[in-house]
Amino acid sequence: MTVVPNGPVLVEGPVELVTEDGVTHTSDRFVVAVCACRRSKRFPFCDTSHRKRVRTDTSPE
């Protein structure tokens, strides 16, 4: 298991996770990113919602 600063927890797969509501989630991937911030729309799996979105303005002035 690896905790990524300001990111997910990386767990060697396959994994079976049981959330607070009793639902079991499974993944057979080699490495599974488990959400640590609860912002993910795919919770308990990470969808990179923890990343800050930076808008770059590339339009000419």
Side-chain angles (χ1 to χ4, degrees), residues 22-52:
V23 176
T24 301
H25 303 269
T26 59
S27 177
D28 59 357
R29 293 183 175 202
F30 180 69
V31 175
V32 179
V34 180
C35 179
C37 70
R38 294 190 161 264
R39 293 182 201 150
S40 175
K41 292 179 183 172
R42 297 183 56 229
F43 187 81
F45 302 110
C46 180
D47 68 359
T48 69
S49 293
H50 60 273
R51 294 182 185 167
K52 292 182 180 178

